[in-house]
Amino acid sequence: MAQTNMLAMILAGGRGSRLHDLTNKVAKPAVAYGGKYRIIDFPLSNCANSGIDIVGVLTQYESVLLNSYVAAGGRWGLDTRDSGVFVLTPREKADCGLDVYRGTADAISQNIDFIDNYDPEYLLVLSGDHIYKMNYAKMLAFHKEHNADATIAVIGVPMREASRFGIMNTDKDMRITEFEEKPAKPKSNLASMGIYIFNWKLMRKMLMEDMKNPDSSHDFGKDFIPVMLNEGKGLYAYEFSGYWKDVGTIDSLWEANMDLLENNELDLDDSSWKIYTEDTATLPAYIGPKAKVDRAYMSQGVDVEGQVTNSVLFSNTKVAEGAKVIDSVLMPGAVVEEGATVTRALVADNVKIGKNTTVGSKKSEEILLVAKNVKGEDK
C-alpha cells in the first residue's frame, strides 16, 4: 500500500465518568454538543479539513453508538477510494488473547499492524473529547521546520489554573526542556492539549519496547514524554491560540454549550472550516405566537411555545406554553411541559420535565444535571 504522509489516530475509548449519567450508555466522544453535533465531530472534521485521509478511531467503552456513527465516514468526506475512517476496537490476536486498551500508548501499540498498512512518515495522535478547530497541517509544518522527533500542542491557560494540567516548560525556540504533571507551583502556563505528532519510525520502536516493560503505565504523558526528554530527543511545543475546551465534566460541557451564545472564536458558521455532522431528518424550528425567546441557540426540530432565555436547545426539544428555560441546555428530545421552570441545568437526552415543576441548581456557581424524568404537578 502506498505511503501516506501523516495518519491520525483518535483516542475515543474513555468512559467519561465525570459526566455521570450522560455516559452510562454512551462513550464520551458520542455525547451531544452545540445543538446538533457530537463531540467526536470536531477532531474528525479537523482531520478532513487538514487534508488527512486516513483516520483510525480507537473505541472501547460503550462503543456501539459511537462505532456506528463513526463508521459513516461520508459525513466528513472520508469515504473515497484513498481515504477512510476506521473503527479500531480491542481485538483478540493469534499470539495473545483479548486485551483491553490499558493506556493511550497501549491503544496505539495494539494497532501497529493497522498503521503499518499505510507506512506513514508521521503519526498524529488526538483525543476524541475536546471541542476546538485546529489545522493539523500547520502543526506538521512546525514539526518539520524544527526537525522534531515529537511535537505536542499546547495552549496558554491562566496561571492560577495551570496546576490542573500537564505543563510544558520550553526554551525561547519552543523546545521542551521539562514536563510537569499537574505541578503545585507551575513554571509556565503552557498546558498540554493531548495532541501529538510523532515520527512514526521512532515511535514504533518505542512502542515495541514499552510493550515489554511490566512497570509501564503505557501512557504518552506519564511514560513516553519523560523518556524522550531524558534521552535528549527533539520535543517541541506547538502553541495553539484558538478556542479549546475539554468537556470532561458537567460544568465544562454546560459552559462549552453556553459559549456558543457569545461571539467566541469557535465560529461554527465558518464555511472555510466546516464542522461536519449527521444531517438530522426533522422539521425546522418552530417559535409559537406566545413564545418569548431572548438570546438562544437552537437547532432544527425545536418547538418553543413558552419562554427561553440565554439557553441552548438541541434538536427535537420542546418548551410548552407557560414553561420557562433559563441559563440551561436541553439535549436532544428533552421536553419541558406546561408551567415548568428549568434554571441553570443540563437536561439529558429525551428527559421530560413535568408540568408545574421547578428544577435547576440552587447555587449560582453550579450546574444541575437532570438525567431522569421529573414527575409533573397539577395545579
Side-chain angles (χ1 to χ4, degrees):
M1 188 171 292
Q3 184 187 57
T4 184
N5 188 38
M6 184 162 71
L7 180 148
M9 297 288 269
I10 301 177
L11 303 171
R15 179 167 185 167
S17 57
R18 292 181 297 165
L19 288 176
H20 306 291
D21 289 348
L22 290 181
T23 53
N24 277 349
K25 298 294 182 183
V26 177
K28 181 164 64 167
V31 169
Y33 164 79
K36 68 175 187 176
Y37 304 96
R38 296 186 186 276
I39 298 170
I40 192 70
D41 288 333
F42 287 82
L44 280 170
S45 296
N46 288 337
C47 287
N49 289 320
S50 299
I52 298 171
D53 296 323
I54 304 298
V55 183
V57 180
L58 288 75
T59 66
Q60 182 161 270
Y61 171 80
E62 286 293 352
S63 59
V64 174
L65 173 61
L66 182 60
N67 290 354
S68 60
Y69 184 75
V70 167
R75 292 190 182 116
W76 304 278
L78 296 170
D79 60 343
T80 65
R81 179 180 176 182
D82 298 317
S83 68
V85 180
F86 300 88
V87 177
L88 303 170
T89 60
R91 64 195 192 278
E92 188 171 359
K93 302 179 182 68
D95 56 346
C96 62
L98 179 65
D99 197 2
V100 298
Y101 295 146
R102 298 168 293 173
T104 55
D106 183 62
I108 303 299
S109 295
Q110 291 197 40
N111 290 285
I112 285 176
D113 56 346
F114 168 79
I115 300 170
D116 282 345
N117 281 337
Y118 297 95
D119 189 24
E121 189 172 355
Y122 305 102
L123 180 70
L124 173 67
V125 179
L126 307 170
S127 170
D129 49 17
H130 297 157
I131 304 294
Y132 67 108
K133 296 196 295 187
M134 180 189 283
N135 188 337
Y136 304 131
K138 290 184 177 180
M139 184 176 172
L140 179 60
F142 174 93
H143 179 88
K144 292 178 178 179
E145 179 186 346
H146 290 81
N147 195 27
D149 293 307
T151 297
I152 302 168
V154 297
I155 189 167
V157 298
M159 204 67 185
R160 65 182 181 276
E161 297 179 15
S163 59
R164 295 172 41 218
F165 298 91
I167 297 297
M168 302 293 170
N169 300 320
T170 69
D171 63 17
K172 60 181 178 60
D173 297 319
M174 296 304 287
R175 181 166 182 148
I176 298 169
T177 57
E178 184 182 18
F179 170 64
E180 298 180 287
E181 181 65 33
K182 299 182 179 179
K185 296 181 179 180
K187 299 173 186 176
S188 83
N189 67 335
L190 296 179
S192 171
M193 299 170 67
I195 299 171
Y196 309 94
I197 291 179
F198 298 111
N199 293 343
W200 173 235
K201 287 184 178 179
L202 172 62
M203 181 47 55
R204 189 186 191 284
K205 180 181 177 182
M206 293 186 67
L207 289 168
M208 297 297 287
E209 292 173 354
D210 181 74
M211 291 170 67
K212 302 172 186 176
N213 183 0
D215 298 321
S216 175
S217 55
H218 312 290
D219 184 86
F220 286 121
K222 293 178 182 178
D223 302 295
F224 283 68
I225 301 308
V227 167
M228 295 181 82
L229 283 173
N230 290 337
E231 293 180 353
K233 302 297 185 186
L235 271 67
Y236 285 83
Y238 175 77
E239 190 167 9
F240 176 70
S241 59
Y243 181 91
W244 178 80
K245 197 84 167 182
D246 181 349
V247 286
T249 66
I250 294 300
D251 282 4
S252 63
L253 180 60
W254 177 87
E255 288 169 3
N257 277 281
M258 299 302 283
D259 283 345
L260 295 171
L261 297 171
E262 305 287 347
N263 183 20
N264 67 61
E265 300 168 278
L266 190 59
D267 189 10
L268 295 178
D269 293 328
D270 181 6
S271 59
S272 68
W273 200 269
K274 188 175 180 181
I275 301 301
Y276 302 96
T277 190
E278 181 179 26
D279 187 14
T280 333
T282 188
L283 295 171
Y286 173 75
I287 310 298
K290 296 182 180 180
K292 294 181 179 180
V293 178
D294 180 15
R295 202 163 179 262
Y297 194 94
M298 299 187 293
S299 187
Q300 63 264 52
V302 168
D303 184 345
V304 178
E305 302 279 358
Q307 176 182 328
V308 176
T309 304
N310 199 54
S311 296
V312 176
L313 276 59
F314 285 66
S315 56
N316 299 316
T317 55
K318 182 174 182 179
V319 181
E321 186 174 341
K324 297 180 180 179
V325 176
I326 304 164
D327 298 335
S328 295
V329 176
L330 303 186
M331 300 190 86
V335 174
V336 183
E337 295 190 333
E338 291 87 346
T341 299
V342 178
T343 306
R344 289 187 65 82
L346 194 155
V347 182
D349 302 47
N350 302 312
V351 166
K352 182 181 292 186
I353 308 298
K355 294 181 180 180
N356 304 317
T357 57
T358 299
V359 298
S361 174
K362 296 180 180 178
K363 297 180 180 180
S364 59
E365 69 277 9
E366 292 181 357
I367 302 302
L368 178 70
L369 170 64
V370 185
K372 296 180 180 179
N373 291 342
V374 179
K375 188 176 181 181
E377 301 172 0
D378 292 324
K379 287 189 175 179

